[in-house]
Amino acid sequence: MISLKKLFKFSIWFLFFFFSTIVSTPARPWLGGVRRKIRHKQDMYSTFSTTKTTIHKDLKVLYYPQTLDHFNYQQESYVTFKQKYMMYSKHWGGAKDNYPIFVHFGDEEPMFNDEINWLILPDYAAKFKALVVIIEHRYYGWSKPFGMSMEEIIKNTTVRGYFNSAQALADSAEIILFLKKRLNATYSPVIVFEGSYGGMLASWFRLKYPHIALGALAASAPVLYFDNMIEQNHGYYYVVTNDFKEASENCYNTIKSSWAEIDKIGSTPKGLSYLSNKFKTCSQLQETRTLKDFLENMYDDVAQYSDTDNNPSIICKAIDQGKKGNDILSRIYAGVHAYFNGTHHNCFNTNYFDDYSVETNLGYDWQTCSEMVMPVVRGSHCLDIFSAKKDDPEWLVNQRKREVEIMSGWIKLYHNDLYKFMK
Amino acid sequence: MISLKKLFKFSIWFLFFFFSTIVSTPARPWLGGVRRKIRHKQDMYSTFSTTKTTIHKDLKVLYYPQTLDHFNYQQESYVTFKQKYMMYSKHWGGAKDNYPIFVHFGDEEPMFNDEINWLILPDYAAKFKALVVIIEHRYYGWSKPFGMSMEEIIKNTTVRGYFNSAQALADSAEIILFLKKRLNATYSPVIVFEGSYGGMLASWFRLKYPHIALGALAASAPVLYFDNMIEQNHGYYYVVTNDFKEASENCYNTIKSSWAEIDKIGSTPKGLSYLSNKFKTCSQLQETRTLKDFLENMYDDVAQYSDTDNNPSIICKAIDQGKKGNDILSRIYAGVHAYFNGTHHNCFNTNYFDDYSVETNLGYDWQTCSEMVMPVVRGSHCLDIFSAKKDDPEWLVNQRKREVEIMSGWIKLYHNDLYKFMK
């Protein structure tokens, strides 16, 4: 487990373009920031409607006619599709005095109308009298072109071609410039925010569009995970493994030897039945891969979204104590039981961790297989972009204070320069 | 005329992304840096062959299979075309000790095999033991896709679509990364260079691809001429006008009143004949516009490419002295005569200033009408990217020294950081 002290040491935030590598989009195209949010939003995903969510009175849900292709002068490039964005103006001090605009980039999931509720941005906006703008990423949620589903998009080689981060960055540039013009906020400084994939977008946006964004706050954004910029042994599974090793060397060894044990026992139909019973799987296992994936996903999840309620040491404690028996499989099962904390008594659904929406599964699979193939690293994911809670650890509270200080510095400097220039 | 002192004050160079606004791509899509070079290269343009030019023994002429569309995953985006680039390795200290790579971006004209002869880069390369790479801009010279002519490209809405600066920057990124890999020069710092449109590309490249280019030297690059970033009264014609006003207020007034005089006299066929004779035009004027364009181009040219041999004060001196007569038209004609310095005795070709190649005319017209509509400013154009001459003014010599100092600073800092990081 990563202790809070360590978490602070490897703190997850990223400002401007100085960033930590304490991040976590897995080697497989399994994402990052999204999972926790999905877990919380499961009911919304099942209905996937705009109407069920609570809308702030200070929130406007809008659609921008977005250009399909920003890098081409072919006629078909000028085709537009509706891109969802939201403006949250509760704290907005207005354009007249050049109050800032904070832009939250959407990531590989829909931007629900209550997205603002999940974010730390309203707190920051209150401090800075900022306007908050949330821009949904092209091809997710309500921003899919031509009324197509993600399944249709992925099958359509033409439309799919425009599904990449370069186009997504240009989308945001276009919307931000449009809004600044429309709001007469020419001189309002823009800061961009997000975590995980959205955090990469924020960092890249600051780099590629320095004339539009004054700064970027990117949480858990693995921007160094490309072109072999970081060393191989800082990859995702290395870190997950290390998290368990740090929690307990004995636990690590038990898990390590369990894979062969599962394969050995599961090599016969009788053995598969035994495993199904042992792990209380909701349906009979057809192959050991299913069980191993389930366990691997559990270890990943608990390392990636580590918090006081759920973290590698809770699983390891159960494994080491051998409450379900002293043999390897009983210990591993004890770990599963501890993870689920007594829920799911009847059986465990081996698809439990495949809880992304179809569009996120398909869409982000496409993105990570086309342009963003990456390993990944240490830390709990995207914590500091989510709204503050009472039981936030001290390091996180301090981190947020520091973020505010840094952003204040940027904006103050910007305003000083602006007023000097305008004299 | 702009005195040398003033030229120094408004010095034309641009390093990193601090830049002057002393630049000169005209409001009409008439370019910048290219004109002087064309004038010098007229014989080459007439033959347009690779074989006639002298090739250095240290120069390799190469072709890269360039991706047609860098921002799209459609199958047709992966189509490649041959892009010309050259490597000049005379001074190259090699990749082993991470000697730098200097990349000269091609602009809106072919990169002839002797391009290196025109550039200051060999001098700089000698100082830094650098490899010089020259990359031809897509769609110009030998880098036109699919064996098409510029006329065909401009008519073909599909191929034309990929003809823009964003794609051109990505071309260079791809070639540079490819070369670094091929030369095992992973840690050789890259500095990008050019003037005029190529200088804009260099600046933009440093901004958009900071992980590839350590710095940019851009001469006469009007990067601020977009999105109303500079004030209207710093536009191109404002500056040309001012150059003449500064040379002589009387001259300025004579030129100012000449336009109405030309129109008045040229309003009848008899008057047009009179003007044709007066200005010794090679063919009879059909309209006053032709004469006015010719004069306007002359004033532009002399302001833009001002040097000791040819500058506004030489024209103004002739105009003010009234050597060809004291009436307005005689004075203006005296200016023309002075500009051409006694050459062209028989007649003046009113198309004299339309001496760009067809592809540059068509191609850069397309570029400036699609994405780069701009006014322009003060100074002599692109001087500091051309090779040093014995009679270079002191300010230019000093400027180049300063450039070398700045680049040395970048490279030294980079190497220090690199070796620290690699320890």
Side-chain angles (χ1 to χ4, degrees):
Chain A
M1 190 192 74
I2 303 165
S3 70
L4 291 185
K5 207 172 162 190
K6 272 190 201 150
L7 262 173
F8 184 56
K9 188 177 160 203
F10 294 100
S11 88
I12 56 172
W13 51 286
F14 166 135
L15 281 163
F16 208 51
F17 51 79
F18 300 98
F19 49 85
S20 69
T21 49
I22 313 121
V23 180
S24 41
T25 310
R28 271 287 316 280
W30 293 139
L31 345 177
V34 74
R35 182 172 292 190
R36 166 138 313 195
K37 284 195 272 177
I38 285 173
R39 185 88 35 94
H40 289 169
K41 283 185 188 174
Q42 260 162 352
D43 55 335
M44 277 189 281
Y45 266 76
S46 59
T47 55
F48 199 71
S49 84
T50 42
T51 50
K52 246 189 104 180
T53 53
T54 313
I55 305 185
H56 277 267
K57 69 176 174 53
D58 302 301
L59 187 91
K60 272 189 194 161
V61 178
L62 297 152
Y63 295 87
Y64 180 81
Q66 189 57 266
T67 311
L68 183 61
D69 186 356
H70 297 278
F71 304 100
N72 202 315
Y73 289 104
Q74 287 176 35
Q75 222 171 345
E76 48 271 44
S77 299
Y78 292 98
V79 168
T80 59
F81 65 95
K82 284 200 297 182
Q83 184 171 13
K84 180 175 176 175
Y85 69 101
M86 293 178 272
M87 291 208 294
Y88 174 74
S89 54
K90 187 174 176 187
H91 307 293
W92 175 226
K96 215 183 148 201
D97 295 312
N98 306 314
Y99 280 104
I101 298 172
F102 289 171
V103 179
H104 177 90
F105 287 157
D107 53 13
E108 67 279 17
E109 57 174 357
M111 289 292 106
F112 290 96
N113 290 354
D114 69 341
E115 188 69 27
I116 195 78
N117 293 340
W118 303 84
L119 305 176
I120 189 74
L121 270 184
D123 292 1
Y124 288 165
K127 283 190 174 70
F128 290 96
K129 293 195 182 178
L131 174 71
V132 178
V133 177
I134 297 172
I135 301 176
E136 192 173 58
H137 190 294
R138 65 161 55 196
Y139 291 33
Y140 292 105
W142 291 266
S143 302
K144 295 192 201 74
F146 322 132
M148 293 167 86
S149 69
M150 184 59 88
E151 288 91 332
E152 287 165 337
I153 287 169
I154 293 299
K155 278 181 202 151
N156 185 313
T157 53
T158 303
V159 176
R160 194 183 64 194
Y162 305 105
F163 187 8
N164 60 60
S165 62
Q167 299 282 2
L169 291 173
D171 289 342
S172 296
E174 200 173 311
I175 290 180
I176 294 169
L177 290 178
F178 162 79
L179 281 180
K180 288 189 86 172
K181 203 167 183 178
R182 193 179 148 188
L183 299 168
N184 286 319
T186 318
Y187 300 115
S188 287
V190 171
I191 298 179
V192 292
F193 297 78
E194 233 290 70
S196 193
Y197 170 51
M200 296 197 277
L201 292 175
S203 325
W204 294 334
F205 192 85
R206 167 62 190 148
L207 291 170
K208 303 278 175 193
Y209 297 88
H211 57 304
I212 300 178
L214 181 72
L217 189 157
S220 300
V223 285
L224 283 189
Y225 276 112
F226 302 95
D227 294 328
N228 299 314
M229 270 193 279
I230 58 149
E231 289 181 40
Q232 275 304 315
N233 68 3
H234 286 93
Y236 182 74
Y237 290 112
Y238 170 84
V239 177
V240 170
T241 304
N242 252 19
D243 280 0
F244 281 84
K245 213 170 182 175
E246 284 178 22
S248 151
E249 188 82 20
N250 182 55
C251 170
Y252 156 77
N253 285 322
T254 310
I255 294 170
K256 196 176 174 187
S257 51
S258 72
W259 310 114
E261 184 76 5
I262 290 167
D263 279 336
K264 200 180 92 188
I265 293 178
S267 62
T268 64
K270 208 179 146 192
L272 282 169
S273 291
Y274 173 82
L275 289 174
S276 304
N277 285 328
K278 186 86 190 171
F279 284 90
K280 287 195 183 173
T281 61
C282 294
S283 54
Q284 167 81 15
L285 291 167
Q286 299 304 313
E287 50 171 355
T288 57
R289 186 71 263 159
T290 311
L291 176 62
K292 289 191 295 182
D293 278 351
F294 170 70
L295 292 171
E296 195 184 299
N297 282 330
M298 179 184 74
Y299 300 135
D300 291 351
D301 186 272
V302 86
Q304 185 161 328
Y305 300 101
S306 185
D307 62 23
T308 43
D309 294 336
N310 219 349
N311 57 53
S313 77
I314 286 171
I315 292 183
C316 277
K317 209 172 161 187
I319 288 178
D320 289 346
Q321 286 177 347
K323 276 192 178 164
K324 301 279 172 185
N326 278 323
D327 61 298
I328 292 174
L329 294 185
S330 298
R331 284 174 183 274
I332 297 294
Y333 176 67
V336 174
H337 203 261
Y339 175 90
F340 286 99
N341 195 20
T343 60
H344 299 67
H345 312 281
N346 301 330
C347 66
F348 292 101
N349 175 7
T350 50
N351 296 322
Y352 178 83
F353 294 98
D354 305 336
D355 58 357
Y356 304 100
S357 67
V358 172
E359 69 168 78
T360 294
N361 264 325
L362 278 177
Y364 204 59
D365 252 8
W366 159 256
Q367 289 199 270
T368 47
C369 291
S370 57
E371 57 170 343
M372 291 183 292
V373 184
M374 48 187 158
V376 187
V377 197
R378 179 193 298 269
S380 198
H381 201 60
C382 301
L383 264 194
D384 75 347
I385 62 156
F386 296 128
S387 46
K389 290 185 201 73
K390 277 185 185 167
D391 61 349
D392 279 337
E394 204 188 331
W395 66 264
L396 183 55
V397 174
N398 288 335
Q399 171 171 304
R400 286 177 176 145
K401 273 189 195 148
R402 184 77 190 111
E403 287 173 0
V404 169
E405 279 167 27
I406 294 172
M407 290 190 288
S408 297
W410 292 343
I411 291 172
K412 202 176 158 188
L413 182 65
Y414 170 82
H415 279 144
N416 282 345
D417 289 348
L418 180 69
Y419 297 135
K420 256 184 228 159
F421 182 79
M422 288 184 128
K423 257 179 196 165
Chain B
M1 190 191 72
I2 304 166
S3 71
L4 291 187
K5 207 173 162 189
K6 272 190 202 153
L7 262 174
F8 184 56
K9 188 177 160 204
F10 294 100
S11 88
I12 56 172
W13 51 285
F14 166 134
L15 282 164
F16 208 50
F17 49 79
F18 301 97
F19 49 84
S20 69
T21 49
I22 313 123
V23 180
S24 42
T25 311
R28 271 286 315 277
W30 293 138
L31 346 177
V34 73
R35 184 172 292 191
R36 166 142 310 197
K37 286 195 273 176
I38 286 174
R39 184 85 39 92
H40 289 169
K41 283 186 187 174
Q42 260 163 352
D43 55 335
M44 277 189 283
Y45 267 76
S46 59
T47 56
F48 199 70
S49 84
T50 42
T51 51
K52 248 189 104 182
T53 54
T54 314
I55 305 183
H56 278 267
K57 68 175 175 53
D58 302 300
L59 188 91
K60 272 190 195 160
V61 178
L62 298 153
Y63 295 87
Y64 180 80
Q66 190 56 266
T67 311
L68 184 61
D69 185 357
H70 298 278
F71 305 101
N72 202 316
Y73 290 104
Q74 288 178 34
Q75 221 171 347
E76 49 271 44
S77 300
Y78 293 98
V79 169
T80 59
F81 64 96
K82 283 199 298 182
Q83 184 171 14
K84 180 175 176 176
Y85 68 102
M86 293 177 273
M87 290 208 294
Y88 174 75
S89 55
K90 187 175 176 187
H91 306 292
W92 176 224
K96 215 183 148 201
D97 294 312
N98 306 314
Y99 280 103
I101 298 172
F102 289 172
V103 180
H104 177 90
F105 287 157
D107 53 13
E108 67 279 18
E109 56 175 356
M111 288 294 106
F112 291 96
N113 290 353
D114 69 341
E115 188 71 26
I116 194 78
N117 293 338
W118 303 84
L119 305 176
I120 189 74
L121 270 184
D123 292 1
Y124 288 165
K127 283 190 176 68
F128 291 97
K129 294 195 182 179
L131 174 70
V132 178
V133 177
I134 298 172
I135 302 175
E136 192 173 58
H137 190 294
R138 64 162 55 197
Y139 291 35
Y140 292 105
W142 291 265
S143 302
K144 296 191 199 75
F146 322 130
M148 295 167 85
S149 69
M150 185 59 88
E151 288 91 330
E152 288 165 337
I153 287 169
I154 293 299
K155 279 181 200 150
N156 184 313
T157 53
T158 303
V159 176
R160 194 183 64 196
Y162 304 105
F163 187 7
N164 59 62
S165 64
Q167 299 282 1
L169 292 174
D171 288 342
S172 297
E174 200 172 312
I175 289 180
I176 295 169
L177 291 178
F178 162 79
L179 281 180
K180 288 189 87 173
K181 203 166 183 180
R182 194 178 146 188
L183 300 168
N184 286 317
T186 318
Y187 300 115
S188 287
V190 171
I191 299 181
V192 292
F193 297 77
E194 233 292 69
S196 192
Y197 169 52
M200 295 196 278
L201 291 175
S203 324
W204 294 334
F205 192 85
R206 167 61 191 150
L207 291 170
K208 303 278 175 192
Y209 298 87
H211 58 304
I212 300 178
L214 181 73
L217 190 157
S220 301
V223 285
L224 283 188
Y225 276 111
F226 301 96
D227 295 328
N228 299 315
M229 270 193 278
I230 58 150
E231 290 181 41
Q232 274 305 315
N233 69 2
H234 286 94
Y236 181 74
Y237 290 112
Y238 170 84
V239 176
V240 171
T241 303
N242 253 18
D243 280 359
F244 281 84
K245 213 171 182 173
E246 284 177 22
S248 152
E249 187 83 21
N250 182 54
C251 170
Y252 156 77
N253 283 322
T254 310
I255 294 170
K256 196 176 176 186
S257 50
S258 73
W259 309 115
E261 184 76 4
I262 290 168
D263 279 337
K264 201 180 92 189
I265 294 176
S267 62
T268 64
K270 208 181 147 189
L272 283 170
S273 292
Y274 174 81
L275 290 173
S276 304
N277 285 327
K278 186 84 189 172
F279 285 90
K280 288 194 183 175
T281 60
C282 294
S283 53
Q284 167 80 17
L285 292 167
Q286 299 304 313
E287 49 171 356
T288 57
R289 185 70 263 161
T290 311
L291 176 61
K292 289 191 296 182
D293 277 350
F294 170 70
L295 292 170
E296 195 184 299
N297 281 330
M298 179 184 74
Y299 300 136
D300 290 353
D301 186 89
V302 87
Q304 185 161 328
Y305 300 103
S306 186
D307 62 22
T308 42
D309 295 334
N310 220 347
N311 57 53
S313 77
I314 287 172
I315 292 183
C316 278
K317 208 172 162 188
I319 288 179
D320 289 346
Q321 287 177 346
K323 275 191 180 168
K324 301 280 173 185
N326 278 323
D327 62 296
I328 291 175
L329 294 185
S330 298
R331 285 173 183 275
I332 297 294
Y333 176 67
V336 174
H337 203 262
Y339 175 90
F340 287 98
N341 194 22
T343 60
H344 298 69
H345 312 281
N346 300 331
C347 67
F348 293 102
N349 174 6
T350 50
N351 295 321
Y352 179 82
F353 294 99
D354 304 335
D355 58 359
Y356 305 99
S357 68
V358 171
E359 70 169 76
T360 293
N361 264 325
L362 277 176
Y364 205 58
D365 252 9
W366 159 255
Q367 289 200 268
T368 47
C369 290
S370 57
E371 58 170 341
M372 290 182 292
V373 184
M374 49 188 156
V376 188
V377 196
R378 179 195 299 267
S380 197
H381 201 61
C382 300
L383 265 193
D384 75 348
I385 62 155
F386 296 128
S387 47
K389 290 185 201 73
K390 277 186 184 166
D391 60 349
D392 279 337
E394 205 189 330
W395 66 263
L396 182 56
V397 174
N398 288 335
Q399 172 170 303
R400 285 177 178 145
K401 273 189 197 149
R402 183 79 190 109
E403 287 173 1
V404 169
E405 279 168 27
I406 293 172
M407 290 189 288
S408 296
W410 291 345
I411 292 173
K412 202 176 157 186
L413 182 65
Y414 170 82
H415 279 145
N416 282 345
D417 289 348
L418 180 68
Y419 299 133
K420 256 184 230 160
F421 182 79
M422 289 184 128
K423 257 179 198 165

